[in-house]
Every structure is written in C-alpha cells, then in structure tokens.
Amino acid sequence: MSGKKYPRSFEIALSAISCAVAVIFLLLGFWSDVLLATGYLLGVIALMVPLSKQFFRGAALAYIATCILAVILGAAAKFWDLVPFIMFFGLHPLINALQIRFKVNRWIALAVKAVWFDFTLWVAYILVFNGILGGAQAESEFFAFVNKYILVFIFVGGSLIFIAYDYLIFTCQIMVNKLVYRIRK
C-alpha cells in the first residue's frame, strides 16, 4: 500500500496469525466434509493478511507452514482433500499479489491461472476418483458420458468457474486490505 517500512516482528506476527487461522479453517473443513469448500475459502482469506501489507515472503512462508501444519495436525488421513489447496488455492492469493506488483497483463495472467486451475481440477479428478467418476456405477450411460468428456467439462466449466472465483478473490483481497489497514497504520 504505502512505502512505510514495518518492523520485521510485525511481518512475522502478521504471517504467524495468518498461518494459524488458515490451519484452523482448513482442519475444520477436513473434519467436516460439508465444510471443506468453506474451509478452503476461509483459509485462503486468512493467507491474504500478510499480502495486505506487501509481505510477500511472509505470505509464502505462511502458505508453506499452513500446508505442513495441516498435514501434521490431521489432514494426513485425508491428504487428497488437501492436494487442491496445495496445488492452487493456497498459492492463488500470492500469485494475484505478485501479478499486481509486477504489473502483469491481467488477460494473460487470467489465461495462465485458468489453465493452472483446470490442471488442478484434472489432478483432483485423477486422485479422488482414480480417473473414473461414478465408481461401480461408471458403467451407466451418464457416468460413461461424463468420463468420456471429462476434460472438456473440466477445461470449459472449470475456466468459467475460475473467472468468477478469481474476481471473488480479488474482491476479498481488497476487503482484507481495508481491514488490516486499520490494525496498524
């Protein structure tokens, strides 16, 4: 935001709080399958806190620590649920902040991030469903059709969903910036 220099202790504290809150939300999401997406979203928002003060190193370390602590504190049993967060969702706010800092063309960045999101969805499909959606019911006509055209569904549907998600995350970052600005000017 501003050119103000903050003490290293402030960056560490902000990043540590961000990491702790993100781990709590991720673990709540893992322990309750219904809240997995909510845990992801709130974890992502928590990881935006150091970015609000342009603490890129603190944000990167908070992301790494969040992933490690989430695995250690209980996500190891459901590691496949954490893979999309590790591959995409946890890094996305940091990439957005770097995109703004280095003034990357937003359309090129959107295209690259959409492909990255779609790749994450494809990996999740392979890991979670072993490449076959529907399990024992995969012989049905519906699941056979879905499995045959899954890449089209992922890349078209995923890209459309990503556009809305990217806009939502940029909007959330603006709100987090306003909240953190009030903490310490």
Side-chain angles (χ1 to χ4, degrees):
M1 300 310 237
S2 66
K4 185 174 181 179
K5 183 76 174 164
Y6 293 96
R8 176 82 79 210
S9 60
F10 182 65
E11 179 178 1
I12 292 169
L14 206 57
S15 301
I17 291 169
S18 167
C19 174
V21 172
V23 169
I24 289 169
F25 285 129
L26 281 177
L27 291 177
L28 287 174
F30 293 134
W31 293 332
S32 170
D33 290 333
V34 176
L35 297 177
L36 184 61
T38 304
Y40 270 27
L41 182 61
L42 294 175
V44 166
I45 291 171
L47 289 175
M48 290 178 182
V49 172
L51 295 171
S52 65
K53 294 292 185 185
Q54 303 293 313
F55 296 151
F56 298 108
R57 184 177 8 179
L61 291 174
Y63 159 74
I64 292 167
T66 297
C67 294
I68 291 170
L69 287 172
V71 169
I72 290 172
L73 295 176
K78 299 172 87 177
F79 182 73
W80 303 129
D81 287 348
L82 186 61
V83 169
F85 186 84
I86 292 171
M87 285 182 65
F88 179 79
F89 294 100
L91 283 172
H92 185 243
L94 180 60
I95 299 301
N96 282 348
L98 291 172
Q99 170 193 340
I100 292 170
R101 178 165 186 196
F102 293 112
K103 298 179 178 132
V104 177
N105 182 302
R106 68 178 174 165
W107 299 109
I108 292 172
L110 184 68
V112 169
K113 291 185 296 185
V115 169
W116 177 31
F117 180 74
D118 294 340
F119 178 73
T120 302
L121 291 179
W122 178 71
V123 168
Y125 167 73
I126 297 297
L127 293 177
V128 174
F129 299 111
N130 295 321
I132 301 174
L133 193 62
Q137 301 165 344
E139 298 297 322
S140 77
E141 191 173 312
F142 173 74
F143 286 116
F145 176 78
V146 169
N147 286 319
K148 183 175 180 180
Y149 297 106
I150 192 67
L151 290 177
V152 174
F153 292 133
I154 286 175
F155 287 110
V156 173
S159 296
L160 292 174
I161 290 170
F162 173 73
I163 292 169
Y165 175 77
D166 195 46
Y167 177 77
L168 171 74
I169 292 302
F170 271 117
T171 304
C172 288
Q173 183 67 58
I174 292 168
M175 290 188 300
V176 168
N177 291 352
K178 288 178 182 176
L179 285 173
V180 174
Y181 178 75
R182 294 179 185 178
I183 291 174
R184 182 172 178 170
K185 294 181 184 180

